Amino acid sequence: MASVSWRRALFFLLVVNLSVLTTACSSHYGNAIEEFCLAKFKLDMEVLDQRQWCSWEDTVESYGELTNCTFLVALKMNCFWPNRMVDEFFIRVHRHYFHDCSMSGRLLHDPPNRILGPFIVVPILVTLLMTALVVWRSKRSEGIV
């Protein structure tokens, strides 16, 4: 019975310690990443034309620096990373800078007819050929026992 109360006390101490760490982070961590990380990212994005914001090749370096900055600030402030505040921060960044971008960074469209055509015609021809072969074979085997 004593081991159960010891485990409960240890669990309670762990939960209290984690909640103190996360509440300590939430009060200043958000301000720190806004001030230190987002400010540089905004400057980097202002250099680019808005049409280039969806180009991964043009934004990957700035985005990587933003991610690393949020990690380093969390490390310095003894916060967990990633955390809820980082998730919300990146959702705001994506809503502002990348809301018009598709998942691949390019607008999706059908391939040209020269590529799409064979993918349509070949299965149709194979189906017709196999049907003709089955009909021909069934008529030829009628006399065989």
Side-chain angles (χ1 to χ4, degrees):
M1 193 64 152
S3 67
V4 172
S5 62
W6 177 79
R7 287 182 187 161
R8 284 185 183 167
L10 183 61
F11 178 73
F12 179 74
L13 183 62
L14 181 64
V15 168
V16 168
N17 190 21
L18 288 175
S19 67
V20 167
L21 279 176
T22 56
T23 56
C25 287
S26 66
S27 61
H28 299 290
Y29 180 68
N31 294 334
I33 60 176
E34 293 278 339
E35 185 178 329
F36 295 116
C37 304
L38 188 59
K40 167 122 177 37
F41 184 73
K42 282 181 179 178
L43 291 173
D44 291 344
M45 294 303 280
E46 285 175 8
V47 170
L48 295 174
D49 184 31
Q50 280 192 354
R51 289 172 286 178
Q52 292 176 300
W53 287 2
C54 290
S55 171
W56 183 243
E57 292 82 21
D58 295 329
T59 58
V60 66
E61 187 176 338
S62 299
Y63 194 84
E65 288 174 3
L66 178 66
T67 304
N68 289 336
C69 181
T70 61
F71 172 72
L72 293 174
V73 170
L75 194 64
K76 224 27 168 167
M77 296 180 79
N78 292 325
C79 297
F80 291 105
W81 190 93
N83 56 43
R84 181 183 52 81
M85 294 192 71
V86 171
D87 292 340
E88 292 170 0
F89 172 77
F90 276 102
I91 287 171
R92 284 193 314 273
V93 167
H94 279 254
R95 281 188 183 147
H96 184 269
Y97 291 101
F98 307 114
H99 65 277
D100 285 335
C101 303
S102 67
M103 294 294 282
S104 66
R106 295 177 290 170
L107 294 175
L108 300 176
H109 56 84
D110 289 336
N113 287 338
R114 61 184 169 76
I115 295 174
L116 191 59
F119 285 103
I120 295 171
V121 171
V122 169
I124 292 172
L125 290 177
V126 168
T127 303
L128 292 173
L129 179 66
M130 292 304 292
T131 304
L133 185 63
V134 167
V135 169
W136 177 74
R137 184 70 182 147
S138 66
K139 286 186 176 186
R140 249 179 157 270
S141 63
E142 287 176 358
I144 300 175
V145 180

